[in-house]
Amino acid sequence: MREAFQEQLDSIFSDLAEICHEVETSVRHATQALLDGDAEVAEQVIAADAKIDVARERVEDTAFSLLSLQQPVAGDLRVVVSALRMVTELERMGDLSVHVAKIARLRVPEVAVPDEAQPTIARMGEVAEDMVRRVAAVITDRDVDAAIEIGRDDEEMDQLRRGSFTQLLGDDWQYGVESAVDIALLGRYYERIADHAVSVANRVIFVVTGQFPVATESA
C-alpha cells in the first residue's frame, strides 16, 4: 500500500514538471508572437492552453484521490496539499502566457511592442521563460538550493518592470496611449509569471523542509 501511495505522489510531481515544460513553451511562443506580430503563433499559444488545463485536472484528480482514499498525515499531507497549490500556480502562468498572446493577436498586422520597448519586453520574456524552465528542474529534483536561487533572481524581473514604467512615463514617449497600455499590461503579465514561479519554488522548499523561505512566503 505504501509503495503504491509513493508511486502516485511521484506521478503527481512528474505531471507538475511536465506542465512546467508546457508553460515554458507557451511563454516562449507568446513572446515570439508578440515581438514578430505573428497571429498564427499567438493562436497556437491560445489553443495549447487547453492541454495545460487538462493536465491540471489530472493532477487534481490524483491528489484528491490520495486525500480521500489514503488519508495522508504529516509530511505526506504536506506534499499533496502543496501539489494542489502548485498546479494552480502553474495553470495561472499558462493563462498569463495566453494574455500575452492575445495582445500580440489584437495588434496584428502591426507589432504590439514599439521599437524602443522591444529590448525590455524581449528580456522580460527571456527571464520568465528561464524561471519556468528552472522551476521544472526544481520540481523534478526537489532541489532546495536551486529553489532559493529562483527567488533571489526574481529581482531582475522587478527591475525590468520598473524600467518599462520609466519609458512609458518619459517625456519622449511617442507611441500613444494604446501602446502604453499594452506595455504596462505586458510588464504586469511577465512579472506575474515570475512571481508564480517563485511561489512554486517556495512550495517545493516547503515540501522538503516544512518551512517557507523567510519573507517570501506566498499567500
Side-chain angles (χ1 to χ4, degrees):
M1 181 70 73
R2 177 66 191 177
E3 183 178 344
F5 177 76
Q6 189 59 52
E7 287 177 357
Q8 287 181 293
L9 279 182
D10 291 342
S11 75
I12 287 176
F13 273 76
S14 294
D15 284 342
L16 289 172
E18 182 58 35
I19 294 171
C20 265
H21 292 309
E22 296 291 341
V23 172
E24 177 192 342
T25 299
S26 291
V27 173
R28 181 171 62 254
H29 288 169
T31 303
Q32 176 189 341
L34 187 67
L35 298 178
D36 295 344
D38 192 324
E40 182 177 350
V41 173
E43 291 289 357
Q44 291 173 3
V45 174
I46 295 166
D49 191 53
K51 185 176 182 180
I52 294 174
D53 293 340
V54 170
R56 172 190 58 84
E57 292 172 0
R58 183 169 62 249
V59 168
E60 289 179 342
D61 288 345
T62 303
F64 288 137
S65 175
L66 286 175
L67 288 173
S68 62
L69 299 178
Q70 304 291 343
Q71 298 181 340
V73 296
D76 290 337
L77 179 62
R78 183 172 72 231
V79 173
V80 176
V81 173
S82 294
L84 285 168
R85 297 295 297 272
M86 283 189 275
V87 77
T88 299
E89 303 265 13
L90 294 173
E91 184 194 28
R92 288 174 180 168
M93 293 158 74
D95 291 342
L96 288 160
S97 299
V98 169
H99 292 335
V100 171
K102 285 182 176 179
I103 288 181
R105 183 181 64 179
L106 181 64
R107 302 305 173 202
V108 172
E110 304 299 326
V111 175
V113 182
D115 290 344
E116 180 181 337
Q118 286 241 353
T120 299
I121 296 298
R123 183 56 188 161
M124 281 184 168
E126 290 172 357
V127 171
E129 182 184 344
D130 180 63
M131 291 180 74
V132 178
R133 180 185 306 113
R134 290 160 62 196
V135 164
V138 164
I139 289 173
T140 299
D141 301 333
R142 303 195 195 184
D143 187 332
V144 170
D145 291 337
I148 292 171
E149 285 302 314
I150 290 174
R152 291 172 178 166
D153 292 348
D154 185 46
E155 176 60 25
E156 181 178 0
M157 184 65 83
D158 294 337
Q159 291 175 349
L160 289 165
R161 181 90 194 281
R162 289 192 290 269
S164 71
F165 270 117
T166 299
Q167 286 182 316
L168 297 179
L169 298 175
D171 293 336
D172 56 348
W173 181 261
Q174 56 182 322
Y175 304 103
V177 173
E178 185 177 81
S179 183
V181 170
D182 284 347
I183 298 302
L185 287 173
L186 290 167
R188 178 59 175 164
Y189 297 153
Y190 282 119
E191 182 184 48
R192 289 301 296 152
I193 290 171
D195 288 344
H196 285 304
V198 171
S199 183
V200 172
N202 287 347
R203 293 189 187 285
V204 172
I205 295 171
F206 179 63
V207 164
V208 176
T209 69
Q211 295 181 328
F212 277 101
V214 175
T216 58
E217 179 175 349
S218 177

PDB file of all heavy atoms in Angstrom, residues 112-147:
ATOM      1  N   ALA A 112       2.829  44.765 -31.547  1.00  0.00           N
ATOM      2  CA  ALA A 112       2.311  45.446 -30.360  1.00  0.00           C
ATOM      3  C   ALA A 112       3.378  46.242 -29.614  1.00  0.00           C
ATOM      4  O   ALA A 112       3.059  47.238 -28.960  1.00  0.00           O
ATOM      5  CB  ALA A 112       1.678  44.427 -29.408  1.00  0.00           C
ATOM      6  N   VAL A 113       4.630  45.824 -29.712  1.00  0.00           N
ATOM      7  CA  VAL A 113       5.698  46.441 -28.924  1.00  0.00           C
ATOM      8  C   VAL A 113       6.512  47.389 -29.802  1.00  0.00           C
ATOM      9  O   VAL A 113       7.147  46.954 -30.766  1.00  0.00           O
ATOM     10  CB  VAL A 113       6.626  45.365 -28.324  1.00  0.00           C
ATOM     11  CG1 VAL A 113       7.701  46.010 -27.459  1.00  0.00           C
ATOM     12  CG2 VAL A 113       5.815  44.363 -27.510  1.00  0.00           C
ATOM     13  N   PRO A 114       6.518  48.696 -29.482  1.00  0.00           N
ATOM     14  CA  PRO A 114       7.319  49.649 -30.259  1.00  0.00           C
ATOM     15  C   PRO A 114       8.807  49.324 -30.172  1.00  0.00           C
ATOM     16  O   PRO A 114       9.254  48.658 -29.224  1.00  0.00           O
ATOM     17  CB  PRO A 114       7.023  50.996 -29.579  1.00  0.00           C
ATOM     18  CG  PRO A 114       5.785  50.794 -28.789  1.00  0.00           C
ATOM     19  CD  PRO A 114       5.763  49.340 -28.406  1.00  0.00           C
ATOM     20  N   ASP A 115       9.561  49.810 -31.159  1.00  0.00           N
ATOM     21  CA  ASP A 115      10.996  49.518 -31.216  1.00  0.00           C
ATOM     22  C   ASP A 115      11.705  49.885 -29.917  1.00  0.00           C
ATOM     23  O   ASP A 115      12.567  49.140 -29.435  1.00  0.00           O
ATOM     24  CB  ASP A 115      11.638  50.279 -32.379  1.00  0.00           C
ATOM     25  CG  ASP A 115      11.205  49.730 -33.735  1.00  0.00           C
ATOM     26  OD1 ASP A 115      10.671  48.601 -33.761  1.00  0.00           O
ATOM     27  OD2 ASP A 115      11.392  50.427 -34.746  1.00  0.00           O
ATOM     28  N   GLU A 116      11.344  51.021 -29.340  1.00  0.00           N
ATOM     29  CA  GLU A 116      12.013  51.495 -28.135  1.00  0.00           C
ATOM     30  C   GLU A 116      11.835  50.528 -26.959  1.00  0.00           C
ATOM     31  O   GLU A 116      12.730  50.378 -26.122  1.00  0.00           O
ATOM     32  CB  GLU A 116      11.463  52.875 -27.745  1.00  0.00           C
ATOM     33  CG  GLU A 116      12.093  53.471 -26.486  1.00  0.00           C
ATOM     34  CD  GLU A 116      11.491  54.822 -26.126  1.00  0.00           C
ATOM     35  OE1 GLU A 116      10.934  55.489 -27.035  1.00  0.00           O
ATOM     36  OE2 GLU A 116      11.571  55.199 -24.945  1.00  0.00           O
ATOM     37  N   ALA A 117      10.683  49.879 -26.910  1.00  0.00           N
ATOM     38  CA  ALA A 117      10.372  48.989 -25.783  1.00  0.00           C
ATOM     39  C   ALA A 117      10.749  47.534 -26.049  1.00  0.00           C
ATOM     40  O   ALA A 117      10.706  46.706 -25.129  1.00  0.00           O
ATOM     41  CB  ALA A 117       8.885  49.081 -25.452  1.00  0.00           C
ATOM     42  N   GLN A 118      11.125  47.210 -27.274  1.00  0.00           N
ATOM     43  CA  GLN A 118      11.389  45.804 -27.616  1.00  0.00           C
ATOM     44  C   GLN A 118      12.485  45.160 -26.771  1.00  0.00           C
ATOM     45  O   GLN A 118      12.308  44.036 -26.297  1.00  0.00           O
ATOM     46  CB  GLN A 118      11.718  45.683 -29.102  1.00  0.00           C
ATOM     47  CG  GLN A 118      10.522  45.835 -30.019  1.00  0.00           C
ATOM     48  CD  GLN A 118      10.262  44.586 -30.871  1.00  0.00           C
ATOM     49  OE1 GLN A 118      11.031  43.639 -30.889  1.00  0.00           O
ATOM     50  NE2 GLN A 118       9.134  44.595 -31.568  1.00  0.00           N
ATOM     51  N   PRO A 119      13.631  45.823 -26.542  1.00  0.00           N
ATOM     52  CA  PRO A 119      14.671  45.154 -25.740  1.00  0.00           C
ATOM     53  C   PRO A 119      14.194  44.789 -24.335  1.00  0.00           C
ATOM     54  O   PRO A 119      14.492  43.700 -23.839  1.00  0.00           O
ATOM     55  CB  PRO A 119      15.801  46.189 -25.698  1.00  0.00           C
ATOM     56  CG  PRO A 119      15.605  47.022 -26.935  1.00  0.00           C
ATOM     57  CD  PRO A 119      14.120  47.114 -27.103  1.00  0.00           C
ATOM     58  N   THR A 120      13.444  45.687 -23.697  1.00  0.00           N
ATOM     59  CA  THR A 120      12.968  45.414 -22.339  1.00  0.00           C
ATOM     60  C   THR A 120      11.967  44.275 -22.317  1.00  0.00           C
ATOM     61  O   THR A 120      12.064  43.350 -21.493  1.00  0.00           O
ATOM     62  CB  THR A 120      12.320  46.679 -21.738  1.00  0.00           C
ATOM     63  OG1 THR A 120      13.296  47.724 -21.675  1.00  0.00           O
ATOM     64  CG2 THR A 120      11.803  46.408 -20.331  1.00  0.00           C
ATOM     65  N   ILE A 121      10.992  44.307 -23.233  1.00  0.00           N
ATOM     66  CA  ILE A 121       9.980  43.256 -23.267  1.00  0.00           C
ATOM     67  C   ILE A 121      10.599  41.917 -23.658  1.00  0.00           C
ATOM     68  O   ILE A 121      10.254  40.862 -23.092  1.00  0.00           O
ATOM     69  CB  ILE A 121       8.841  43.628 -24.228  1.00  0.00           C
ATOM     70  CG1 ILE A 121       8.095  44.879 -23.722  1.00  0.00           C
ATOM     71  CG2 ILE A 121       7.872  42.463 -24.394  1.00  0.00           C
ATOM     72  CD1 ILE A 121       7.433  44.698 -22.375  1.00  0.00           C
ATOM     73  N   ALA A 122      11.526  41.951 -24.600  1.00  0.00           N
ATOM     74  CA  ALA A 122      12.193  40.712 -25.008  1.00  0.00           C
ATOM     75  C   ALA A 122      12.944  40.088 -23.827  1.00  0.00           C
ATOM     76  O   ALA A 122      12.902  38.869 -23.615  1.00  0.00           O
ATOM     77  CB  ALA A 122      13.153  40.973 -26.158  1.00  0.00           C
ATOM     78  N   ARG A 123      13.605  40.934 -23.051  1.00  0.00           N
ATOM     79  CA  ARG A 123      14.335  40.428 -21.882  1.00  0.00           C
ATOM     80  C   ARG A 123      13.368  39.898 -20.835  1.00  0.00           C
ATOM     81  O   ARG A 123      13.653  38.874 -20.191  1.00  0.00           O
ATOM     82  CB  ARG A 123      15.223  41.525 -21.294  1.00  0.00           C
ATOM     83  CG  ARG A 123      16.080  41.058 -20.111  1.00  0.00           C
ATOM     84  CD  ARG A 123      16.941  39.873 -20.480  1.00  0.00           C
ATOM     85  NE  ARG A 123      17.625  39.316 -19.311  1.00  0.00           N
ATOM     86  CZ  ARG A 123      18.142  38.098 -19.259  1.00  0.00           C
ATOM     87  NH1 ARG A 123      18.056  37.289 -20.312  1.00  0.00           N
ATOM     88  NH2 ARG A 123      18.744  37.669 -18.171  1.00  0.00           N
ATOM     89  N   MET A 124      12.230  40.562 -20.645  1.00  0.00           N
ATOM     90  CA  MET A 124      11.222  40.047 -19.716  1.00  0.00           C
ATOM     91  C   MET A 124      10.795  38.636 -20.120  1.00  0.00           C
ATOM     92  O   MET A 124      10.666  37.740 -19.269  1.00  0.00           O
ATOM     93  CB  MET A 124       9.998  40.962 -19.696  1.00  0.00           C
ATOM     94  CG  MET A 124      10.158  42.207 -18.873  1.00  0.00           C
ATOM     95  SD  MET A 124       8.601  43.145 -18.834  1.00  0.00           S
ATOM     96  CE  MET A 124       8.974  44.322 -17.534  1.00  0.00           C
ATOM     97  N   GLY A 125      10.575  38.447 -21.410  1.00  0.00           N
ATOM     98  CA  GLY A 125      10.192  37.132 -21.896  1.00  0.00           C
ATOM     99  C   GLY A 125      11.266  36.094 -21.636  1.00  0.00           C
ATOM    100  O   GLY A 125      10.971  34.964 -21.233  1.00  0.00           O
ATOM    101  N   GLU A 126      12.528  36.477 -21.841  1.00  0.00           N
ATOM    102  CA  GLU A 126      13.637  35.551 -21.606  1.00  0.00           C
ATOM    103  C   GLU A 126      13.739  35.164 -20.134  1.00  0.00           C
ATOM    104  O   GLU A 126      13.932  33.987 -19.804  1.00  0.00           O
ATOM    105  CB  GLU A 126      14.948  36.194 -22.062  1.00  0.00           C
ATOM    106  CG  GLU A 126      15.084  36.351 -23.566  1.00  0.00           C
ATOM    107  CD  GLU A 126      16.302  37.172 -23.949  1.00  0.00           C
ATOM    108  OE1 GLU A 126      16.997  37.667 -23.026  1.00  0.00           O
ATOM    109  OE2 GLU A 126      16.554  37.328 -25.161  1.00  0.00           O
ATOM    110  N   VAL A 127      13.611  36.166 -19.265  1.00  0.00           N
ATOM    111  CA  VAL A 127      13.717  35.899 -17.828  1.00  0.00           C
ATOM    112  C   VAL A 127      12.574  35.002 -17.370  1.00  0.00           C
ATOM    113  O   VAL A 127      12.770  34.038 -16.613  1.00  0.00           O
ATOM    114  CB  VAL A 127      13.730  37.219 -17.033  1.00  0.00           C
ATOM    115  CG1 VAL A 127      13.611  36.955 -15.532  1.00  0.00           C
ATOM    116  CG2 VAL A 127      14.998  38.010 -17.322  1.00  0.00           C
ATOM    117  N   ALA A 128      11.351  35.312 -17.824  1.00  0.00           N
ATOM    118  CA  ALA A 128      10.190  34.492 -17.447  1.00  0.00           C
ATOM    119  C   ALA A 128      10.360  33.056 -17.915  1.00  0.00           C
ATOM    120  O   ALA A 128      10.119  32.099 -17.159  1.00  0.00           O
ATOM    121  CB  ALA A 128       8.917  35.101 -18.027  1.00  0.00           C
ATOM    122  N   GLU A 129      10.783  32.890 -19.165  1.00  0.00           N
ATOM    123  CA  GLU A 129      10.972  31.544 -19.714  1.00  0.00           C
ATOM    124  C   GLU A 129      12.030  30.778 -18.930  1.00  0.00           C
ATOM    125  O   GLU A 129      11.861  29.594 -18.608  1.00  0.00           O
ATOM    126  CB  GLU A 129      11.370  31.640 -21.185  1.00  0.00           C
ATOM    127  CG  GLU A 129      11.540  30.299 -21.869  1.00  0.00           C
ATOM    128  CD  GLU A 129      12.035  30.430 -23.310  1.00  0.00           C
ATOM    129  OE1 GLU A 129      11.959  31.539 -23.878  1.00  0.00           O
ATOM    130  OE2 GLU A 129      12.509  29.414 -23.850  1.00  0.00           O
ATOM    131  N   ASP A 130      13.130  31.449 -18.609  1.00  0.00           N
ATOM    132  CA  ASP A 130      14.215  30.808 -17.872  1.00  0.00           C
ATOM    133  C   ASP A 130      13.754  30.388 -16.475  1.00  0.00           C
ATOM    134  O   ASP A 130      14.088  29.290 -15.999  1.00  0.00           O
ATOM    135  CB  ASP A 130      15.402  31.762 -17.762  1.00  0.00           C
ATOM    136  CG  ASP A 130      16.565  31.157 -16.996  1.00  0.00           C
ATOM    137  OD1 ASP A 130      17.123  30.144 -17.483  1.00  0.00           O
ATOM    138  OD2 ASP A 130      16.910  31.669 -15.924  1.00  0.00           O
ATOM    139  N   MET A 131      12.969  31.238 -15.818  1.00  0.00           N
ATOM    140  CA  MET A 131      12.493  30.904 -14.480  1.00  0.00           C
ATOM    141  C   MET A 131      11.568  29.698 -14.511  1.00  0.00           C
ATOM    142  O   MET A 131      11.641  28.829 -13.640  1.00  0.00           O
ATOM    143  CB  MET A 131      11.797  32.114 -13.851  1.00  0.00           C
ATOM    144  CG  MET A 131      12.751  33.261 -13.522  1.00  0.00           C
ATOM    145  SD  MET A 131      11.929  34.696 -12.785  1.00  0.00           S
ATOM    146  CE  MET A 131      11.617  34.082 -11.135  1.00  0.00           C
ATOM    147  N   VAL A 132      10.709  29.618 -15.518  1.00  0.00           N
ATOM    148  CA  VAL A 132       9.815  28.461 -15.633  1.00  0.00           C
ATOM    149  C   VAL A 132      10.627  27.196 -15.890  1.00  0.00           C
ATOM    150  O   VAL A 132      10.352  26.136 -15.315  1.00  0.00           O
ATOM    151  CB  VAL A 132       8.776  28.673 -16.751  1.00  0.00           C
ATOM    152  CG1 VAL A 132       7.895  27.437 -16.891  1.00  0.00           C
ATOM    153  CG2 VAL A 132       7.907  29.894 -16.464  1.00  0.00           C
ATOM    154  N   ARG A 133      11.627  27.298 -16.744  1.00  0.00           N
ATOM    155  CA  ARG A 133      12.475  26.136 -17.042  1.00  0.00           C
ATOM    156  C   ARG A 133      13.158  25.631 -15.765  1.00  0.00           C
ATOM    157  O   ARG A 133      13.219  24.422 -15.506  1.00  0.00           O
ATOM    158  CB  ARG A 133      13.537  26.513 -18.071  1.00  0.00           C
ATOM    159  CG  ARG A 133      14.466  25.363 -18.456  1.00  0.00           C
ATOM    160  CD  ARG A 133      15.577  25.811 -19.389  1.00  0.00           C
ATOM    161  NE  ARG A 133      15.052  26.488 -20.563  1.00  0.00           N
ATOM    162  CZ  ARG A 133      15.231  27.779 -20.841  1.00  0.00           C
ATOM    163  NH1 ARG A 133      15.929  28.542 -19.997  1.00  0.00           N
ATOM    164  NH2 ARG A 133      14.726  28.308 -21.928  1.00  0.00           N
ATOM    165  N   ARG A 134      13.646  26.559 -14.965  1.00  0.00           N
ATOM    166  CA  ARG A 134      14.348  26.174 -13.739  1.00  0.00           C
ATOM    167  C   ARG A 134      13.386  25.615 -12.695  1.00  0.00           C
ATOM    168  O   ARG A 134      13.752  24.730 -11.910  1.00  0.00           O
ATOM    169  CB  ARG A 134      15.117  27.375 -13.203  1.00  0.00           C
ATOM    170  CG  ARG A 134      16.310  27.728 -14.094  1.00  0.00           C
ATOM    171  CD  ARG A 134      16.779  29.148 -13.873  1.00  0.00           C
ATOM    172  NE  ARG A 134      17.230  29.357 -12.513  1.00  0.00           N
ATOM    173  CZ  ARG A 134      17.392  30.561 -11.971  1.00  0.00           C
ATOM    174  NH1 ARG A 134      17.121  31.647 -12.683  1.00  0.00           N
ATOM    175  NH2 ARG A 134      17.812  30.679 -10.732  1.00  0.00           N
ATOM    176  N   VAL A 135      12.173  26.109 -12.679  1.00  0.00           N
ATOM    177  CA  VAL A 135      11.172  25.565 -11.759  1.00  0.00           C
ATOM    178  C   VAL A 135      10.909  24.095 -12.074  1.00  0.00           C
ATOM    179  O   VAL A 135      10.741  23.274 -11.162  1.00  0.00           O
ATOM    180  CB  VAL A 135       9.864  26.387 -11.809  1.00  0.00           C
ATOM    181  CG1 VAL A 135       8.715  25.626 -11.169  1.00  0.00           C
ATOM    182  CG2 VAL A 135      10.047  27.714 -11.093  1.00  0.00           C
ATOM    183  N   ALA A 136      10.863  23.751 -13.347  1.00  0.00           N
ATOM    184  CA  ALA A 136      10.654  22.348 -13.722  1.00  0.00           C
ATOM    185  C   ALA A 136      11.748  21.468 -13.124  1.00  0.00           C
ATOM    186  O   ALA A 136      11.471  20.374 -12.600  1.00  0.00           O
ATOM    187  CB  ALA A 136      10.632  22.212 -15.242  1.00  0.00           C
ATOM    188  N   ALA A 137      12.990  21.944 -13.172  1.00  0.00           N
ATOM    189  CA  ALA A 137      14.095  21.173 -12.598  1.00  0.00           C
ATOM    190  C   ALA A 137      13.983  21.099 -11.077  1.00  0.00           C
ATOM    191  O   ALA A 137      14.268  20.059 -10.471  1.00  0.00           O
ATOM    192  CB  ALA A 137      15.425  21.799 -13.001  1.00  0.00           C
ATOM    193  N   VAL A 138      13.556  22.197 -10.465  1.00  0.00           N
ATOM    194  CA  VAL A 138      13.384  22.217  -9.011  1.00  0.00           C
ATOM    195  C   VAL A 138      12.327  21.209  -8.581  1.00  0.00           C
ATOM    196  O   VAL A 138      12.492  20.480  -7.593  1.00  0.00           O
ATOM    197  CB  VAL A 138      13.004  23.641  -8.538  1.00  0.00           C
ATOM    198  CG1 VAL A 138      12.453  23.616  -7.116  1.00  0.00           C
ATOM    199  CG2 VAL A 138      14.216  24.564  -8.604  1.00  0.00           C
ATOM    200  N   ILE A 139      11.221  21.137  -9.325  1.00  0.00           N
ATOM    201  CA  ILE A 139      10.158  20.187  -9.004  1.00  0.00           C
ATOM    202  C   ILE A 139      10.654  18.750  -9.165  1.00  0.00           C
ATOM    203  O   ILE A 139      10.405  17.891  -8.315  1.00  0.00           O
ATOM    204  CB  ILE A 139       8.934  20.425  -9.904  1.00  0.00           C
ATOM    205  CG1 ILE A 139       8.240  21.737  -9.515  1.00  0.00           C
ATOM    206  CG2 ILE A 139       7.944  19.266  -9.800  1.00  0.00           C
ATOM    207  CD1 ILE A 139       7.126  22.144 -10.466  1.00  0.00           C
ATOM    208  N   THR A 140      11.380  18.493 -10.249  1.00  0.00           N
ATOM    209  CA  THR A 140      11.864  17.139 -10.510  1.00  0.00           C
ATOM    210  C   THR A 140      12.864  16.683  -9.455  1.00  0.00           C
ATOM    211  O   THR A 140      12.791  15.553  -8.947  1.00  0.00           O
ATOM    212  CB  THR A 140      12.520  17.070 -11.903  1.00  0.00           C
ATOM    213  OG1 THR A 140      11.544  17.411 -12.901  1.00  0.00           O
ATOM    214  CG2 THR A 140      13.065  15.685 -12.183  1.00  0.00           C
ATOM    215  N   ASP A 141      13.802  17.567  -9.107  1.00  0.00           N
ATOM    216  CA  ASP A 141      14.892  17.205  -8.201  1.00  0.00           C
ATOM    217  C   ASP A 141      14.590  17.539  -6.736  1.00  0.00           C
ATOM    218  O   ASP A 141      15.332  17.115  -5.849  1.00  0.00           O
ATOM    219  CB  ASP A 141      16.179  17.925  -8.608  1.00  0.00           C
ATOM    220  CG  ASP A 141      16.609  17.590 -10.028  1.00  0.00           C
ATOM    221  OD1 ASP A 141      16.261  16.483 -10.493  1.00  0.00           O
ATOM    222  OD2 ASP A 141      17.269  18.427 -10.659  1.00  0.00           O
ATOM    223  N   ARG A 142      13.526  18.332  -6.527  1.00  0.00           N
ATOM    224  CA  ARG A 142      13.221  18.856  -5.175  1.00  0.00           C
ATOM    225  C   ARG A 142      14.473  19.472  -4.562  1.00  0.00           C
ATOM    226  O   ARG A 142      14.854  19.192  -3.419  1.00  0.00           O
ATOM    227  CB  ARG A 142      12.635  17.762  -4.285  1.00  0.00           C
ATOM    228  CG  ARG A 142      11.382  17.144  -4.893  1.00  0.00           C
ATOM    229  CD  ARG A 142      10.578  16.344  -3.912  1.00  0.00           C
ATOM    230  NE  ARG A 142       9.610  15.498  -4.616  1.00  0.00           N
ATOM    231  CZ  ARG A 142       8.708  14.735  -4.025  1.00  0.00           C
ATOM    232  NH1 ARG A 142       8.628  14.690  -2.722  1.00  0.00           N
ATOM    233  NH2 ARG A 142       7.874  14.003  -4.725  1.00  0.00           N
ATOM    234  N   ASP A 143      15.083  20.347  -5.363  1.00  0.00           N
ATOM    235  CA  ASP A 143      16.366  20.968  -5.040  1.00  0.00           C
ATOM    236  C   ASP A 143      16.118  22.285  -4.301  1.00  0.00           C
ATOM    237  O   ASP A 143      15.731  23.290  -4.909  1.00  0.00           O
ATOM    238  CB  ASP A 143      17.144  21.208  -6.337  1.00  0.00           C
ATOM    239  CG  ASP A 143      18.562  21.706  -6.101  1.00  0.00           C
ATOM    240  OD1 ASP A 143      18.803  22.350  -5.070  1.00  0.00           O
ATOM    241  OD2 ASP A 143      19.421  21.463  -6.968  1.00  0.00           O
ATOM    242  N   VAL A 144      16.345  22.295  -3.011  1.00  0.00           N
ATOM    243  CA  VAL A 144      16.073  23.483  -2.195  1.00  0.00           C
ATOM    244  C   VAL A 144      16.988  24.647  -2.573  1.00  0.00           C
ATOM    245  O   VAL A 144      16.546  25.798  -2.689  1.00  0.00           O
ATOM    246  CB  VAL A 144      16.217  23.140  -0.698  1.00  0.00           C
ATOM    247  CG1 VAL A 144      16.174  24.409   0.159  1.00  0.00           C
ATOM    248  CG2 VAL A 144      15.117  22.180  -0.275  1.00  0.00           C
ATOM    249  N   ASP A 145      18.259  24.376  -2.779  1.00  0.00           N
ATOM    250  CA  ASP A 145      19.199  25.455  -3.118  1.00  0.00           C
ATOM    251  C   ASP A 145      18.813  26.131  -4.433  1.00  0.00           C
ATOM    252  O   ASP A 145      18.848  27.361  -4.550  1.00  0.00           O
ATOM    253  CB  ASP A 145      20.629  24.910  -3.213  1.00  0.00           C
ATOM    254  CG  ASP A 145      21.185  24.493  -1.858  1.00  0.00           C
ATOM    255  OD1 ASP A 145      20.691  25.010  -0.834  1.00  0.00           O
ATOM    256  OD2 ASP A 145      22.099  23.647  -1.824  1.00  0.00           O
ATOM    257  N   ALA A 146      18.453  25.324  -5.426  1.00  0.00           N
ATOM    258  CA  ALA A 146      18.046  25.896  -6.718  1.00  0.00           C
ATOM    259  C   ALA A 146      16.751  26.677  -6.570  1.00  0.00           C
ATOM    260  O   ALA A 146      16.564  27.713  -7.219  1.00  0.00           O
ATOM    261  CB  ALA A 146      17.877  24.784  -7.750  1.00  0.00           C
ATOM    262  N   ALA A 147      15.855  26.206  -5.721  1.00  0.00           N
ATOM    263  CA  ALA A 147      14.599  26.918  -5.486  1.00  0.00           C
ATOM    264  C   ALA A 147      14.859  28.281  -4.850  1.00  0.00           C
ATOM    265  O   ALA A 147      14.232  29.289  -5.213  1.00  0.00           O
ATOM    266  CB  ALA A 147      13.682  26.083  -4.592  1.00  0.00           C
TER     267      ALA A 147
END
